[in-house]
Amino acid sequence: MHETSARRWESPEALTAETRRFVAATEAMMASSAHHLSEGVENLRLKAIIHELPDFLYVKDRDSRFVFANAVTASNLGFKSADEITGKRDFDLFDFEVARRHFDIEQQIMATGQARIDMGETVVLPGSPRPVCRLTSKIPLRNDRGEIVGLIGVSRDITERKLQEDLHRGQAKLLEMIARNEPLPMILEALVLMIEAQLTGIDGSVLLLDGEGTRLYHGAAPNLPGGYSRLIDGVTIGPKVGSCGTAAWRGQTVIVEDVMSDPLWEDFRALVAPFGFRSCWSTPIATSQNNVLGTFALYSREVRRPTEHEMKLVALATHIAGIAIERKRVDDRIHFMAHHDDLTGLPNRAFLKERLASILDQARRNNRKVTVAYIDLDNFKEVNDGRGHAAGDEVLKEIATRMANSVRASDMVVRLGGDEFLVVLVHQSSHDAGIARRLRELQKAINRPMQSESGDIAITSSIGVAAFPVDGATAEELLANADRAMYRAKQLGRNTLQHHDGAGAPFGMPLGEQEELHQAITGDQLFLEYQPQVDVATGRITGIEALVRWNHPAKGRVPPVNFIPLAEETGLIVPLGLWVLNEACRQARAWQDLGLTPLTIAVNVSAKQFADPDFANHVAEALERHGLQSHWLELEVTESVVMQDAERALTMMASLRALGVRLSIDDFGSGYSSLAALKTFPFDRLKMDRSLVEALPGDKTAVAIVSAVISLAQTLKLLVLAEGVETDAQMDFLRHARCEEAQGYRFSKPVSPEEISRMLRAQAL
């Protein structure tokens, strides 16, 4: 492939004096010896000088055939000697379109007698790994009678100069983007692309260190495989975490020549292998005080060290990235200070004004409710007057912390000023179940006595509540009505909660759904269905997962998605989970008593169950009560459950392993997935989430991720089960990828215990 353009990078006026002298001298020499050149260039002294030139120099006749070319021209066009090119045309060397463009330009030069000076060309020469940029001039060649008999071509390699120009322009563009405060991801992506354009066969990546300084998250990697970027997103830094995790940990550049042999990549080789990378060089991005902000890494598919030139580019990239990231942090801090209260760190009125209107608009579109609670601390002036403003400030900060800890992440706590706060409960369904309980718990948290050096401080609160859309269609109406309800609470004796209803009636909401679910757990309305898990290689059933169902006396079957969140919210998930555990153990033992092949039965464990200090005792009691050996029970927990409190989780898992039960990590790949969790916690099996499996085998990214997960899990000696398998094509891929087990509608939907018995009997035949 060879591309050229008659567009001039520089005007003839910009031609350097050196080039002008070179062209003039060459033209004079060639003109004085034109008749010699046509006979084979017999002037040996002239030939020797010309062959020593580092630039291309060649002569063509009227038909654009090479009459002569110096040594560097011939060798770069693939000839062993200069004589071999004689008589060749561009049509013999390049594709037709490229050769035709050259031919047309040369014929125009010879027809008009007008030289073409400093034409820019982007050329891919034989054996060259990347295009080179050349500056070419072509001038007509005349004989003694002034007749044009051909042309002389002179061409200089300006690739390095062009790269430097591009680099300078790229730096200027990046600094302009930073000055314009463009989004950080756009700046970092432009930075990586600028560095990649300077190199061959290199992919760049920026990872950003989180606020706690423990994990690296995706910043920019425009040409890294998306599957690889997602797998390393959120990796925990440490002394042996590949190139980037180690560089961030050490605060020093880490050069890894071969990821397949370097001990720093020992735990990540299975992850990187499907993507073909062999070397990775990572440098910390740091502040002027040497605080690490992230890493800039270059990946190569060759086993090698970086060149000095490559490391100079990395130094430039980390410097610019540091400026951009620090600027973004400063802007974020300024924005935070403008929208948050200095004392408590809570959002302020300005933030509330921006957010509440959009929250209500979203609720209106989704037919959901939003509740606002206007909170005023009772007799707060007495605290300030009696104990001093410093004590008052401590009270406000403590109350702010308590309120923030009492709401969900989707809710919002705002300090309006003084001792007034606002709580916005968002993302509610169209019913009111649970709101009254949450508000009462919020008030209890506020009212807990507060310890101080001068003794306990008793704090109470008056709360006014208004709900969208019944109590106001706009943010202004909603806040005004909540404010009125709060003043009514004060009038009624303080330390009360009132809802805006126009009549001053106390606030109260029915908790009917919670009561119904409690009755379901205690009243024999729940039942289990079971989904088989099969060996991918043989298709035989190897395990069963227990799934809870609710048969409501009036509504019929209630989908789990409709009652599991309610159980989580109300705390009923603990008794519900214990019921599932006991029923699953009972059924597993019942199948064994029927003489069926014993199989592992898997039970999901909620976060609240796992956090219960007595959970291991509950498991032991269930096993003993139903006479089930512990190794036939598997407990499934999601990664988020164990990562909430790693130390407590390890203690609980050790207690469960001591009982002999199996442990699996569930829904791996459904969202944030930490590679550290697989190594840190003593799991027996990894269950890949259906979201990874559903795109197989057509999606290349999904293929890469699943292959990497399977390989990594097997390296860590974990069994792998794929969830949500529905097609033969998915099954064939998993078999080829050496995934051990699978579960999904390809084999069976969740079925009754009787149907499982039938399947196991058929399998035994």
Side-chain angles (χ1 to χ4, degrees), residues 300-312:
S300 172
R301 288 178 168 81
E302 299 178 7
V303 175
R304 68 179 181 91
R305 294 183 64 82
T307 64
E308 182 180 353
H309 174 63
E310 287 167 336
M311 291 311 296
K312 286 182 178 178

mmCIF file with all atom_site columns, all heavy atoms in Angstrom, residues 300-312:
data_model
loop_
_atom_site.group_PDB
_atom_site.id
_atom_site.type_symbol
_atom_site.label_atom_id
_atom_site.label_alt_id
_atom_site.label_comp_id
_atom_site.label_asym_id
_atom_site.label_entity_id
_atom_site.label_seq_id
_atom_site.pdbx_PDB_ins_code
_atom_site.Cartn_x
_atom_site.Cartn_y
_atom_site.Cartn_z
_atom_site.occupancy
_atom_site.B_iso_or_equiv
_atom_site.pdbx_formal_charge
_atom_site.auth_seq_id
_atom_site.auth_comp_id
_atom_site.auth_asym_id
_atom_site.auth_atom_id
_atom_site.pdbx_PDB_model_num
ATOM 1   N N   . SER A 1 300 ? 2.634  -4.459  25.016 1.00 0.00 ? 300 SER A N   1
ATOM 2   C CA  . SER A 1 300 ? 3.165  -4.947  23.748 1.00 0.00 ? 300 SER A CA  1
ATOM 3   C C   . SER A 1 300 ? 2.912  -6.443  23.636 1.00 0.00 ? 300 SER A C   1
ATOM 4   O O   . SER A 1 300 ? 2.885  -7.146  24.654 1.00 0.00 ? 300 SER A O   1
ATOM 5   C CB  . SER A 1 300 ? 4.665  -4.666  23.654 1.00 0.00 ? 300 SER A CB  1
ATOM 6   O OG  . SER A 1 300 ? 5.223  -5.298  22.506 1.00 0.00 ? 300 SER A OG  1
ATOM 7   N N   . ARG A 1 301 ? 2.721  -6.899  22.417 1.00 0.00 ? 301 ARG A N   1
ATOM 8   C CA  . ARG A 1 301 ? 2.558  -8.343  22.191 1.00 0.00 ? 301 ARG A CA  1
ATOM 9   C C   . ARG A 1 301 ? 3.896  -9.027  21.914 1.00 0.00 ? 301 ARG A C   1
ATOM 10  O O   . ARG A 1 301 ? 3.928  -10.168 21.472 1.00 0.00 ? 301 ARG A O   1
ATOM 11  C CB  . ARG A 1 301 ? 1.570  -8.586  21.054 1.00 0.00 ? 301 ARG A CB  1
ATOM 12  C CG  . ARG A 1 301 ? 0.130  -8.265  21.470 1.00 0.00 ? 301 ARG A CG  1
ATOM 13  C CD  . ARG A 1 301 ? -0.863 -8.455  20.338 1.00 0.00 ? 301 ARG A CD  1
ATOM 14  N NE  . ARG A 1 301 ? -2.233 -8.426  20.837 1.00 0.00 ? 301 ARG A NE  1
ATOM 15  C CZ  . ARG A 1 301 ? -2.925 -7.333  21.102 1.00 0.00 ? 301 ARG A CZ  1
ATOM 16  N NH1 . ARG A 1 301 ? -2.363 -6.152  20.906 1.00 0.00 ? 301 ARG A NH1 1
ATOM 17  N NH2 . ARG A 1 301 ? -4.166 -7.395  21.549 1.00 0.00 ? 301 ARG A NH2 1
ATOM 18  N N   . GLU A 1 302 ? 4.988  -8.310  22.154 1.00 0.00 ? 302 GLU A N   1
ATOM 19  C CA  . GLU A 1 302 ? 6.330  -8.866  22.052 1.00 0.00 ? 302 GLU A CA  1
ATOM 20  C C   . GLU A 1 302 ? 6.961  -8.918  23.443 1.00 0.00 ? 302 GLU A C   1
ATOM 21  O O   . GLU A 1 302 ? 6.647  -8.105  24.309 1.00 0.00 ? 302 GLU A O   1
ATOM 22  C CB  . GLU A 1 302 ? 7.210  -8.005  21.141 1.00 0.00 ? 302 GLU A CB  1
ATOM 23  C CG  . GLU A 1 302 ? 6.704  -7.894  19.710 1.00 0.00 ? 302 GLU A CG  1
ATOM 24  C CD  . GLU A 1 302 ? 7.594  -6.983  18.886 1.00 0.00 ? 302 GLU A CD  1
ATOM 25  O OE1 . GLU A 1 302 ? 8.652  -6.555  19.403 1.00 0.00 ? 302 GLU A OE1 1
ATOM 26  O OE2 . GLU A 1 302 ? 7.229  -6.678  17.742 1.00 0.00 ? 302 GLU A OE2 1
ATOM 27  N N   . VAL A 1 303 ? 7.861  -9.887  23.622 1.00 0.00 ? 303 VAL A N   1
ATOM 28  C CA  . VAL A 1 303 ? 8.621  -9.965  24.869 1.00 0.00 ? 303 VAL A CA  1
ATOM 29  C C   . VAL A 1 303 ? 9.809  -9.022  24.731 1.00 0.00 ? 303 VAL A C   1
ATOM 30  O O   . VAL A 1 303 ? 10.752 -9.298  23.986 1.00 0.00 ? 303 VAL A O   1
ATOM 31  C CB  . VAL A 1 303 ? 9.099  -11.406 25.137 1.00 0.00 ? 303 VAL A CB  1
ATOM 32  C CG1 . VAL A 1 303 ? 9.989  -11.448 26.379 1.00 0.00 ? 303 VAL A CG1 1
ATOM 33  C CG2 . VAL A 1 303 ? 7.909  -12.331 25.290 1.00 0.00 ? 303 VAL A CG2 1
ATOM 34  N N   . ARG A 1 304 ? 9.768  -7.894  25.413 1.00 0.00 ? 304 ARG A N   1
ATOM 35  C CA  . ARG A 1 304 ? 10.864 -6.928  25.291 1.00 0.00 ? 304 ARG A CA  1
ATOM 36  C C   . ARG A 1 304 ? 10.765 -5.854  26.371 1.00 0.00 ? 304 ARG A C   1
ATOM 37  O O   . ARG A 1 304 ? 9.753  -5.747  27.054 1.00 0.00 ? 304 ARG A O   1
ATOM 38  C CB  . ARG A 1 304 ? 10.871 -6.271  23.924 1.00 0.00 ? 304 ARG A CB  1
ATOM 39  C CG  . ARG A 1 304 ? 9.686  -5.342  23.642 1.00 0.00 ? 304 ARG A CG  1
ATOM 40  C CD  . ARG A 1 304 ? 9.838  -4.732  22.259 1.00 0.00 ? 304 ARG A CD  1
ATOM 41  N NE  . ARG A 1 304 ? 8.778  -3.809  21.913 1.00 0.00 ? 304 ARG A NE  1
ATOM 42  C CZ  . ARG A 1 304 ? 8.823  -2.501  22.153 1.00 0.00 ? 304 ARG A CZ  1
ATOM 43  N NH1 . ARG A 1 304 ? 9.881  -1.968  22.767 1.00 0.00 ? 304 ARG A NH1 1
ATOM 44  N NH2 . ARG A 1 304 ? 7.821  -1.710  21.784 1.00 0.00 ? 304 ARG A NH2 1
ATOM 45  N N   . ARG A 1 305 ? 11.825 -5.073  26.492 1.00 0.00 ? 305 ARG A N   1
ATOM 46  C CA  . ARG A 1 305 ? 11.843 -3.907  27.357 1.00 0.00 ? 305 ARG A CA  1
ATOM 47  C C   . ARG A 1 305 ? 11.516 -2.670  26.517 1.00 0.00 ? 305 ARG A C   1
ATOM 48  O O   . ARG A 1 305 ? 11.701 -2.678  25.299 1.00 0.00 ? 305 ARG A O   1
ATOM 49  C CB  . ARG A 1 305 ? 13.219 -3.732  28.015 1.00 0.00 ? 305 ARG A CB  1
ATOM 50  C CG  . ARG A 1 305 ? 13.580 -4.836  28.988 1.00 0.00 ? 305 ARG A CG  1
ATOM 51  C CD  . ARG A 1 305 ? 14.926 -4.541  29.643 1.00 0.00 ? 305 ARG A CD  1
ATOM 52  N NE  . ARG A 1 305 ? 14.894 -3.338  30.457 1.00 0.00 ? 305 ARG A NE  1
ATOM 53  C CZ  . ARG A 1 305 ? 14.442 -3.290  31.703 1.00 0.00 ? 305 ARG A CZ  1
ATOM 54  N NH1 . ARG A 1 305 ? 13.987 -4.381  32.283 1.00 0.00 ? 305 ARG A NH1 1
ATOM 55  N NH2 . ARG A 1 305 ? 14.452 -2.149  32.381 1.00 0.00 ? 305 ARG A NH2 1
ATOM 56  N N   . PRO A 1 306 ? 11.065 -1.603  27.138 1.00 0.00 ? 306 PRO A N   1
ATOM 57  C CA  . PRO A 1 306 ? 10.792 -0.384  26.376 1.00 0.00 ? 306 PRO A CA  1
ATOM 58  C C   . PRO A 1 306 ? 12.091 0.296   25.961 1.00 0.00 ? 306 PRO A C   1
ATOM 59  O O   . PRO A 1 306 ? 13.123 0.174   26.626 1.00 0.00 ? 306 PRO A O   1
ATOM 60  C CB  . PRO A 1 306 ? 10.012 0.480   27.369 1.00 0.00 ? 306 PRO A CB  1
ATOM 61  C CG  . PRO A 1 306 ? 10.479 0.030   28.711 1.00 0.00 ? 306 PRO A CG  1
ATOM 62  C CD  . PRO A 1 306 ? 10.740 -1.437  28.575 1.00 0.00 ? 306 PRO A CD  1
ATOM 63  N N   . THR A 1 307 ? 12.031 1.022   24.845 1.00 0.00 ? 307 THR A N   1
ATOM 64  C CA  . THR A 1 307 ? 13.184 1.799   24.404 1.00 0.00 ? 307 THR A CA  1
ATOM 65  C C   . THR A 1 307 ? 13.262 3.100   25.201 1.00 0.00 ? 307 THR A C   1
ATOM 66  O O   . THR A 1 307 ? 12.311 3.495   25.881 1.00 0.00 ? 307 THR A O   1
ATOM 67  C CB  . THR A 1 307 ? 13.078 2.125   22.914 1.00 0.00 ? 307 THR A CB  1
ATOM 68  O OG1 . THR A 1 307 ? 11.924 2.973   22.714 1.00 0.00 ? 307 THR A OG1 1
ATOM 69  C CG2 . THR A 1 307 ? 12.910 0.849   22.090 1.00 0.00 ? 307 THR A CG2 1
ATOM 70  N N   . GLU A 1 308 ? 14.395 3.770   25.078 1.00 0.00 ? 308 GLU A N   1
ATOM 71  C CA  . GLU A 1 308 ? 14.551 5.062   25.743 1.00 0.00 ? 308 GLU A CA  1
ATOM 72  C C   . GLU A 1 308 ? 13.522 6.059   25.223 1.00 0.00 ? 308 GLU A C   1
ATOM 73  O O   . GLU A 1 308 ? 12.957 6.846   25.996 1.00 0.00 ? 308 GLU A O   1
ATOM 74  C CB  . GLU A 1 308 ? 15.970 5.585   25.511 1.00 0.00 ? 308 GLU A CB  1
ATOM 75  C CG  . GLU A 1 308 ? 16.245 6.912   26.208 1.00 0.00 ? 308 GLU A CG  1
ATOM 76  C CD  . GLU A 1 308 ? 17.655 7.409   25.971 1.00 0.00 ? 308 GLU A CD  1
ATOM 77  O OE1 . GLU A 1 308 ? 18.462 6.647   25.377 1.00 0.00 ? 308 GLU A OE1 1
ATOM 78  O OE2 . GLU A 1 308 ? 17.959 8.551   26.355 1.00 0.00 ? 308 GLU A OE2 1
ATOM 79  N N   . HIS A 1 309 ? 13.274 6.023   23.911 1.00 0.00 ? 309 HIS A N   1
ATOM 80  C CA  . HIS A 1 309 ? 12.274 6.913   23.314 1.00 0.00 ? 309 HIS A CA  1
ATOM 81  C C   . HIS A 1 309 ? 10.888 6.640   23.889 1.00 0.00 ? 309 HIS A C   1
ATOM 82  O O   . HIS A 1 309 ? 10.144 7.584   24.215 1.00 0.00 ? 309 HIS A O   1
ATOM 83  C CB  . HIS A 1 309 ? 12.260 6.717   21.798 1.00 0.00 ? 309 HIS A CB  1
ATOM 84  C CG  . HIS A 1 309 ? 11.171 7.467   21.098 1.00 0.00 ? 309 HIS A CG  1
ATOM 85  N ND1 . HIS A 1 309 ? 11.086 8.844   21.106 1.00 0.00 ? 309 HIS A ND1 1
ATOM 86  C CD2 . HIS A 1 309 ? 10.097 7.022   20.376 1.00 0.00 ? 309 HIS A CD2 1
ATOM 87  C CE1 . HIS A 1 309 ? 10.018 9.218   20.414 1.00 0.00 ? 309 HIS A CE1 1
ATOM 88  N NE2 . HIS A 1 309 ? 9.406  8.140   19.969 1.00 0.00 ? 309 HIS A NE2 1
ATOM 89  N N   . GLU A 1 310 ? 10.530 5.366   24.045 1.00 0.00 ? 310 GLU A N   1
ATOM 90  C CA  . GLU A 1 310 ? 9.217  5.025   24.594 1.00 0.00 ? 310 GLU A CA  1
ATOM 91  C C   . GLU A 1 310 ? 9.066  5.519   26.028 1.00 0.00 ? 310 GLU A C   1
ATOM 92  O O   . GLU A 1 310 ? 8.012  6.019   26.416 1.00 0.00 ? 310 GLU A O   1
ATOM 93  C CB  . GLU A 1 310 ? 9.006  3.505   24.509 1.00 0.00 ? 310 GLU A CB  1
ATOM 94  C CG  . GLU A 1 310 ? 8.748  3.031   23.086 1.00 0.00 ? 310 GLU A CG  1
ATOM 95  C CD  . GLU A 1 310 ? 8.837  1.525   22.933 1.00 0.00 ? 310 GLU A CD  1
ATOM 96  O OE1 . GLU A 1 310 ? 9.530  0.876   23.761 1.00 0.00 ? 310 GLU A OE1 1
ATOM 97  O OE2 . GLU A 1 310 ? 8.236  0.988   21.990 1.00 0.00 ? 310 GLU A OE2 1
ATOM 98  N N   . MET A 1 311 ? 10.116 5.409   26.824 1.00 0.00 ? 311 MET A N   1
ATOM 99  C CA  . MET A 1 311 ? 10.027 5.857   28.209 1.00 0.00 ? 311 MET A CA  1
ATOM 100 C C   . MET A 1 311 ? 9.958  7.387   28.301 1.00 0.00 ? 311 MET A C   1
ATOM 101 O O   . MET A 1 311 ? 9.337  7.929   29.217 1.00 0.00 ? 311 MET A O   1
ATOM 102 C CB  . MET A 1 311 ? 11.223 5.335   29.013 1.00 0.00 ? 311 MET A CB  1
ATOM 103 C CG  . MET A 1 311 ? 11.196 3.820   29.230 1.00 0.00 ? 311 MET A CG  1
ATOM 104 S SD  . MET A 1 311 ? 9.592  3.209   29.853 1.00 0.00 ? 311 MET A SD  1
ATOM 105 C CE  . MET A 1 311 ? 9.503  4.028   31.449 1.00 0.00 ? 311 MET A CE  1
ATOM 106 N N   . LYS A 1 312 ? 10.570 8.084   27.342 1.00 0.00 ? 312 LYS A N   1
ATOM 107 C CA  . LYS A 1 312 ? 10.435 9.539   27.310 1.00 0.00 ? 312 LYS A CA  1
ATOM 108 C C   . LYS A 1 312 ? 8.981  9.930   27.027 1.00 0.00 ? 312 LYS A C   1
ATOM 109 O O   . LYS A 1 312 ? 8.451  10.879  27.615 1.00 0.00 ? 312 LYS A O   1
ATOM 110 C CB  . LYS A 1 312 ? 11.357 10.138  26.255 1.00 0.00 ? 312 LYS A CB  1
ATOM 111 C CG  . LYS A 1 312 ? 12.823 10.135  26.645 1.00 0.00 ? 312 LYS A CG  1
ATOM 112 C CD  . LYS A 1 312 ? 13.683 10.781  25.562 1.00 0.00 ? 312 LYS A CD  1
ATOM 113 C CE  . LYS A 1 312 ? 15.156 10.813  25.973 1.00 0.00 ? 312 LYS A CE  1
ATOM 114 N NZ  . LYS A 1 312 ? 16.016 11.401  24.924 1.00 0.00 ? 312 LYS A NZ  1
#
